[in-house]
Amino acid sequence: MSLEAIEKVAQVERETQERRAAAEAEARQILSGAERDGLALLQQTRSAAAEEGKNLLRQAEEKAAARAAETGRTAEAAAADLQKKAKSHLEEAAEFIVGRVVKH
């Protein structure tokens, strides 16, 4: 083999190694970028899920407060009604008690 052919083979081998090294470096960069993008997307998804959870909790608390207020109004109305009925029977009850005490 001539010296020129040997040099040509050596040069082709060097170029092949350089291309392989460049391709490996590019592959590492692509992998690193994909990993970074994946982690960013994961963090974004977690943040969105946490925010949605807070919104759902706030809505549930608002509904619970509205129900509690409605229940309170209903209970107050029932209590007022019972109090009104009790007052209407107060004199009747007093007469009954007095009648029982006087008779015995």
Side-chain angles (χ1 to χ4, degrees):
M1 213 189 239
S2 71
L3 182 61
E4 195 174 295
I6 293 173
E7 287 177 358
K8 184 76 169 172
V9 169
Q11 181 182 358
V12 169
E13 286 179 352
R14 278 192 305 271
E15 289 173 358
T16 301
Q17 287 176 346
E18 289 172 0
R19 281 187 286 201
R20 178 179 287 160
E24 288 175 355
E26 185 178 356
R28 283 192 297 274
Q29 286 179 339
I30 291 170
L31 181 61
S32 175
E35 190 173 89
R36 183 179 55 251
D37 293 348
L39 289 174
L41 182 58
L42 177 63
Q43 182 60 38
Q44 181 182 0
T45 302
R46 284 181 177 166
S47 295
E51 190 63 33
E52 181 64 19
K54 287 178 186 177
N55 287 338
L56 290 174
L57 181 60
R58 181 184 47 77
Q59 290 173 3
E61 287 173 344
E62 288 173 359
K63 286 180 183 179
R67 279 186 152 174
E70 180 61 30
T71 301
R73 286 191 293 273
T74 302
E76 286 177 9
D81 188 43
L82 287 173
Q83 191 176 24
K84 183 179 175 184
K85 287 180 183 177
K87 283 182 181 179
S88 71
H89 295 292
L90 182 62
E91 192 167 318
E92 190 180 308
E95 287 177 17
F96 175 76
I97 292 170
V98 169
R100 298 272 302 201
V101 170
V102 171
K103 287 183 182 178
H104 286 95

